Amino acid sequence: MSQNVHPTVDPTKMGIGRSIAVLTSGGDAQGMNAAVRATVRVGLYTGAKVYFVHEGYQGLVDGGDNIRPATWESVSMMLQLGGTVIGSARCKDFRSREGRMQAACNLVKLGITNLCVIGGDGSLTGANEFRTEWSGLLADLVRAGKITDEQARKSSHLNIVGMVGSIDNDFCGTDMTIGTDSALHRIIEVVDAITTTAQSHQRTFILEVMGRHCGYLALVTALACGADWVFIPEMPPDEGWENHLCRRLTDQRARGSRLNVIIVAEGAISRDGKPITSDQIKKLVTDRLGFDTRTTILGHVQRGGTPSAFDRILGSRMGVEAVMALLEATPDTPACVVSLSGNQAVRLPLMECVQVTKDVTAAMAQGRFEDAIKLRGKSFENNWNTYKQLAHINPPDVKSNINVAIMNIGAPCAGMNAAVRAAVRMGIIQGHNMLAVHDGFDGLAHGQIEPITWTSVSGWTGKGGSMLGTKRTLPAKMLEEISQNIAKHNIHALVIIGGFEAYVGGLELVQAREKYEEMCIPMVVIPATVSNNVPGSDFSIGADTALNTITSTCDRIKQSAAGTKRRVFIVETMGGYCGYLATMAGLAAGADAAYIFEDKFNIKDLEMNVEHLVEKMKTTVKRGLILRNENCNANYTTDFIFNLYSEEGKGIFDCRKNVLGHMQQGGTPTPFDRNFGTKMGAKSVMWLTEKLKQCYRHGRIFANTLDSACVLGMKKRALTFQPLAELKADTDFEHRIPKTQWWLKIRPIMKILAKYDIKLDTSEHADMEHVLKKRSLLAK
C-alpha cells in the first residue's frame, strides 16, 4: 500500500474550505466522463466541495441549476459511457466580456475559485483569458453592485487547470489527448470490416477519417492497417503524386495483393494548399486504373461508443493530477494543462502548448511542412518516419547478403504479427534476406526455417495470435542443434518476439556464446505478452488488447447486475505473477479492489474490503467488482475469495465469479498494439543493420559484446535498447517479473476512486515542465 512520505501535506485535508468546478467544452470525446469522475472523487477525497457545470461555458454563463454540487454517487457508472454526461455546448455568450462577467458572478456567489476545464485548445484558451481578466471582472461586478467587497476579496484569484479532450490529438505538448485512442478503435473496427469485403472483390477502398488540421488519426490508422497511401495536412504529397499513387497501387496488385487501402484525413491538402478530397482520389483511381473503387466517410462514428481502456485510465490519471495541480497552485503559477508524456503525467504551461499548436498551423500555412511534423512532437514524428520507411521505399536492387531470422516465443498475443510484418518489410527494404522460424526455439533446433517475403506478410497487421507459430520451450537443452542450424542457414542476426521466455531464451543464447561461436550474432528481443512482465520495457505488445478485453467484459458483468442490485463480482485475470492487467483493468472498469502478487495482502485486508462493500451497498451504488490476478496468492484462491465474500455478504449482497481465461490472449489487436508492434518491428531491424556493420570483421559477422544482444523496450518517454545481461539485476526470475514496475505507483488512484481511506503519496508530484520545442525552428 502506498505510504505518504510527504509529511507536510495531508492530501485528505488539502481541499478543505476550497471549491472546484468541472466542465466539459467543445466537441465531445470518449473518456471525458472518466476525467470528470476522477476530478469529482479526488476533489471530494481532498475535502473540497465539487460542482458540475452542465452544458460547458453556456452553463457557466447561465448559472442557476447548471452549476450543481457533485456527490460520490453522482459519478457512478459514468466510466464506461461515451460522450460527456454533463453536456457540452458551443457558447457565443462566453466570448463577450458581459458573458464572462456573468460567469464570474455565478462562480463568486458559490465561492468557486478553482476551475477544471476538459476540452480542446479553443476551450482552454478561453479559460486562460477568463483567468487573466478575473480581477478586472470582479472589480466591475463590485462597481455594479452584483457582488460585495467581501465576496470579491474571498475570490480574489482564479486557478485554472486544463485537460485536453479531443479525438484529433491536435494539441501540442501531450502524446495523447483524451478520446484519441477510442476514435482509433472505431476506425480500426471499420477498416477490419472493409478489408474482408474488399479482398473478396479485389477493390480499392478510400477511407476518410476526422482531422481537419491534424493528421494523427489518419497516420496511425495507415500504420495500423498497412495502408498503401495516407494523405495528412502536415505533409502534403509531392508534385506529381497522382502518378506515384497509381504506380504504387499497380505494384501492390502485381505483387498479388487483392485490395488497396488509402487513408485520407478530412483536412488533407496539396502542396499549394488546395484540398485533396476522397472523391478526387476515387475519380483518379477509377479513370486511370479502372479499379473497382469505394469511398467510406466515417464522420461522427469516430466520436461515439464506449471509451477504450487507455482513455479511461488516461482520463482518470489526468483527473487526479488536475485536482492536485489546482490545489497546489499559487497566484503566480501559470494556468497549466495536464499532459501525457510516454507513461508519465506531466504539467505544462497552458499558453505555451496553445502557442506551439498555433505554430503548427502557421508552419503549414507557410509551406514549412518538415517544421510542422517536428512541432507536432516526437510521437507524431516517429509515426511519420516509420510510415515513410515502410510504405514509400522500394526494395533496393543491391542485396546485402545478410540473413535475418525472426521468431515468436512463449504464449501467443495480439500484435505479434504486426511486429513480424514490420521487421520483415524493413529488412527487405534494407536489402536483407528475411527468414521465418516456425514454432519458436523448437523450430530453430529442428530446422523449420524458410524465406519470408514482402507479400507473405501482407494483411498480418490486423491478425491476432502468432502466424509463425510459437512455443514456450527454452533453448538451453537444444543449443547444439540450434548452433548447427544457425550455421546451416547462415543466420547473421536474430529477432526474438515474445514474453518472459523470449527474454530468458535470449539470455541463454548469449551465455552459450562462450561455447558456440555461431551464437555470436546480434540479437534483439521485442517484448510481446499479455502479462507485460518483460524486464526493460514499461509496455509489452499484446497487453493493451488483453486489457480492453478484460475491461469490456467487466462492463458487461457490471451491467448484468444493474437489474438484480446488490451483487458483487469476483473476476480472475491472467498475468502470471504480474499484476499489471488486474491493476489497470481495475482502474479502467472501476473495481473496488484488485488483488495482485506485488502488493501483499492478508486476511485483515480481505476483511476490510468486505466491510467496504457492505457500506457501499447502503448507498445508491449496489454493485461491487473485485479483480484477482491469477497468481496473487497461493492460498487466497479465487474460490476462497468467492466463498469468503459469499459468507460475509449473506443478506446484504450475493456473489458471482468469472475466470476470464484464454479470451485475454485472443482477438484482433487494438490500434495501440498494431502501431506499437509496427514501430518495434521496424526499429529492431534498423538497429540490427547498424550492429551488423559494427560486428563485421574479416569477411564475417562476430558479435560477443553485451550490447550486441538487447531488449527493445519503451522506457518512460522513448524506445530504448538495453543489453539482456544488464537487465538480470532488475529481474525476479522465480516469479518472472521485473523488480521495478512503474504502474505500481498508480495503484493508490484505484483505491481512492473506490472510496478507500488511504493516503495518496504526494511526494512525487509533477512539477511544471516547459514545452521544449524551441522557437529556433520558426526563426528561420
Side-chain angles (χ1 to χ4, degrees):
M1 310 282 165
S2 177
Q3 296 301 310
N4 181 26
V5 291
H6 204 272
T8 50
V9 183
D10 178 353
T12 59
K13 296 190 170 57
M14 278 173 79
I16 290 174
R18 317 269 295 270
S19 292
I20 298 171
V22 57
L23 66 90
T24 52
S25 172
D28 63 306
Q30 310 96 316
M32 278 183 164
N33 291 323
V36 170
R37 171 180 176 266
T39 306
V40 168
R41 289 193 169 175
V42 177
L44 294 171
Y45 162 84
T46 64
K49 266 189 185 170
V50 187
Y51 291 86
F52 288 135
V53 179
H54 291 269
E55 311 309 332
Y57 285 122
Q58 194 62 56
L60 210 56
V61 174
D62 295 347
D65 224 18
N66 288 304
I67 308 175
R68 277 178 266 177
T71 64
W72 198 274
E73 282 96 22
S74 63
V75 292
S76 178
M77 289 303 274
M78 263 171 96
L79 200 52
Q80 64 268 44
L81 300 176
T84 163
V85 170
I86 57 173
S88 178
R90 308 279 177 199
C91 177
K92 275 190 185 162
D93 296 342
F94 193 73
R95 290 183 184 160
S96 68
R97 188 176 165 85
E98 291 71 31
R100 291 194 291 277
M101 203 156 120
Q102 187 54 50
C105 182
N106 293 331
L107 291 179
V108 170
K109 286 189 170 163
L110 290 167
I112 300 167
T113 53
N114 296 285
L115 191 59
C116 180
V117 179
I118 307 165
D121 60 345
S123 308
L124 300 186
T125 307
N128 189 63
E129 194 179 343
F130 189 39
R131 176 183 182 269
T132 316
E133 286 183 338
W134 185 255
S135 52
L137 294 171
L138 261 50
D140 288 358
L141 286 167
V142 171
R143 231 173 274 128
K146 291 190 176 173
I147 61 170
T148 63
D149 282 330
E150 178 62 12
Q151 284 175 317
R153 193 182 57 75
K154 277 187 178 168
S155 302
S156 61
H157 178 69
L158 178 71
N159 291 322
I160 297 269
V161 168
M163 286 182 259
V164 192
S166 156
I167 67 163
D168 292 342
N169 204 26
D170 56 356
F171 192 81
C172 292
T174 184
D175 287 352
M176 287 290 262
T177 56
I178 295 168
T180 307
D181 188 64
S182 302
L184 284 169
H185 274 253
R186 296 299 91 77
I187 296 168
I188 290 298
E189 281 162 21
V190 173
V191 169
D192 285 350
I194 281 174
T195 305
T196 51
T197 171
Q199 277 184 322
S200 310
H201 298 277
Q202 289 205 26
R203 280 189 177 142
T204 296
F205 259 96
I206 299 162
L207 189 73
E208 185 181 299
V209 300
M210 280 184 169
R212 200 164 304 141
H213 307 294
C214 177
Y216 186 87
L217 289 178
L219 178 54
V220 175
T221 302
L223 263 181
C225 72
D228 297 296
W229 198 282
V230 65
F231 291 93
I232 59 169
E234 291 85 349
M235 187 55 79
D238 295 329
E239 296 297 328
W241 61 267
E242 295 89 346
N243 298 334
H244 189 173
L245 172 65
C246 291
R247 196 165 59 246
R248 165 83 52 77
L249 300 184
T250 313
D251 285 353
Q252 286 297 89
R253 288 286 169 99
R255 283 183 173 141
S257 174
R258 289 182 61 83
L259 86 153
N260 302 112
V261 178
I262 299 166
I263 308 289
V264 190
E266 61 179 330
I269 50 171
S270 61
R271 288 265 153 183
D272 53 6
K274 293 198 176 97
I276 295 178
T277 65
S278 359
D279 288 341
Q280 194 182 330
I281 302 163
K282 180 181 176 181
K283 188 174 183 325
L284 170 74
V285 176
T286 315
D287 292 356
R288 288 248 198 124
L289 304 174
F291 287 177
D292 186 0
T293 308
R294 298 281 190 278
T295 303
T296 304
I297 297 172
L298 282 188
H300 281 74
V301 167
Q302 296 159 84
R303 281 196 192 283
T306 309
S308 66
F310 180 91
D311 274 329
R312 298 181 198 198
I313 293 164
L314 179 64
S316 301
R317 288 180 71 188
M318 283 186 169
V320 175
E321 195 58 50
V323 172
M324 291 300 155
L326 280 172
L327 298 181
E328 287 168 10
T330 67
D332 304 325
T333 316
C336 86
V337 61
V338 178
S339 300
L340 181 80
S341 182
N343 62 23
Q344 296 178 298
V346 295
R347 299 177 194 173
L348 298 168
L350 171 60
M351 292 322 288
E352 276 189 31
C353 295
V354 169
Q355 187 53 52
V356 180
T357 306
K358 286 179 177 165
D359 292 345
V360 178
T361 315
M364 278 152 59
Q366 292 161 16
R368 293 182 294 108
F369 299 112
E370 294 289 344
D371 288 355
I373 295 264
K374 281 197 169 62
L375 285 163
R376 276 272 179 242
K378 208 80 199 124
S379 169
F380 192 96
E381 196 179 353
N382 287 344
N383 284 328
W384 175 249
N385 289 337
T386 307
Y387 174 75
K388 256 195 332 195
Q389 285 169 323
L390 286 173
H392 282 250
I393 304 170
N394 286 321
D397 298 328
V398 182
K399 292 278 187 242
S400 66
N401 292 325
I402 292 289
N403 300 320
V404 180
I406 300 183
M407 60 203 295
N408 291 164
I409 310 295
C413 68
M416 271 184 166
N417 298 320
V420 172
R421 172 189 171 274
V424 166
R425 292 201 165 173
M426 187 56 83
I428 292 169
I429 287 163
Q430 300 296 317
H432 308 327
N433 301 310
M434 304 306 289
L435 300 171
V437 180
H438 298 281
D439 296 339
F441 287 116
D442 278 3
L444 193 56
H446 301 134
Q448 293 168 258
I449 303 163
E450 61 178 11
I452 186 164
T453 62
W454 187 278
T455 44
S456 54
V457 292
S458 62
W460 278 28
T461 320
K463 288 188 172 151
S466 162
M467 302 292 284
L468 292 181
T470 178
K471 284 193 175 171
R472 290 176 180 271
T473 326
L474 290 171
K477 291 177 182 163
M478 308 179 283
L479 292 170
E480 184 72 42
E481 296 92 327
I482 286 173
S483 64
Q484 285 167 4
N485 274 310
I486 288 175
K488 181 181 169 188
H489 292 269
N490 204 13
I491 294 169
H492 300 111
L494 196 54
V495 179
I496 306 170
I497 302 166
F500 199 81
E501 288 93 350
Y503 168 67
V504 176
L507 210 47
E508 287 179 3
L509 294 186
V510 171
Q511 284 156 354
R513 279 175 171 178
E514 290 173 21
K515 192 173 174 189
Y516 301 98
E517 210 174 279
E518 294 83 358
M519 309 288 185
C520 295
I521 56 173
M523 303 175 207
V524 64
V525 171
I526 298 177
T529 165
V530 300
S531 304
N532 197 30
N533 62 338
V534 179
S537 189
D538 293 341
F539 295 105
S540 291
I541 297 165
D544 186 67
T545 306
L547 191 52
N548 277 284
T549 302
I550 299 166
T551 306
S552 59
T553 309
C554 287
D555 285 352
R556 289 176 186 185
I557 286 171
K558 279 170 77 175
Q559 195 179 35
S560 76
T564 49
K565 302 287 186 211
R566 294 202 179 137
R567 182 162 281 175
V568 173
F569 290 93
I570 319 285
V571 177
E572 183 189 296
T573 67
M574 274 186 167
Y577 285 97
C578 179
Y580 176 82
L581 287 180
T583 297
M584 290 310 212
L587 196 52
D592 294 280
Y595 299 122
I596 64 167
F597 170 76
E598 294 93 339
D599 196 350
K600 303 290 181 226
F601 60 98
N602 55 30
I603 195 72
K604 283 194 175 68
D605 294 313
L606 291 170
E607 201 178 354
M608 183 181 83
N609 295 150
V610 174
E611 284 166 9
H612 181 266
L613 282 167
V614 169
E615 285 305 306
K616 187 179 179 182
M617 296 300 160
K618 293 175 184 170
T619 69
T620 54
V621 187
K622 295 179 169 43
R623 283 168 318 278
L625 177 66
I626 305 290
L627 297 184
R628 179 189 174 275
N629 163 245
E630 58 185 353
N631 287 350
C632 65
N633 189 299
N635 297 313
Y636 298 143
T637 61
T638 302
D639 285 339
F640 175 91
I641 291 173
F642 168 69
N643 291 335
L644 175 77
Y645 275 72
S646 300
E647 183 60 36
E648 296 296 319
K650 268 185 185 166
I652 303 158
F653 57 79
D654 63 349
C655 278
R656 295 287 185 274
K657 70 173 176 196
N658 287 70
V659 177
L660 298 184
H662 280 75
M663 64 187 286
Q664 295 161 82
Q665 280 180 352
T668 54
T670 56
F672 177 88
D673 279 332
R674 296 179 195 206
N675 187 13
F676 191 44
T678 300
K679 280 199 280 203
M680 298 278 266
K683 198 171 176 76
S684 66
V685 172
M686 294 297 285
W687 179 82
L688 283 175
T689 305
E690 279 308 303
K691 272 283 166 246
L692 286 161
K693 285 176 192 163
Q694 293 167 22
C695 303
Y696 193 72
R697 302 264 189 290
H698 314 299
R700 68 193 192 99
I701 306 292
F702 186 77
N704 67 346
T705 54
L706 291 183
D707 67 351
S708 64
C710 286
V711 169
L712 167 57
M714 163 75 88
K715 292 299 280 182
K716 290 191 175 170
R717 304 183 184 190
L719 288 176
T720 53
F721 291 89
Q722 290 167 277
L724 293 167
E726 282 179 16
L727 290 166
K728 272 162 61 176
D730 186 41
T731 307
D732 173 350
F733 284 94
E734 185 193 346
H735 298 107
R736 299 158 52 87
I737 50 173
K739 288 178 186 170
T740 47
Q741 301 188 87
W742 67 273
W743 50 266
L744 283 167
K745 283 186 182 156
I746 61 176
R747 263 181 78 74
I749 295 174
M750 183 185 72
K751 295 173 187 172
I752 288 165
L753 295 177
K755 210 174 184 176
Y756 278 93
D757 184 17
I758 69 155
K759 291 281 187 281
L760 181 66
D761 182 355
T762 54
S763 61
E764 263 201 41
H765 68 272
D767 289 312
M768 188 85 81
E769 294 190 12
H770 289 277
V771 188
L772 296 174
K773 302 172 180 92
K774 301 286 180 238
R775 298 287 100 70
S776 60
L777 269 174
L778 309 161
K780 286 176 190 170

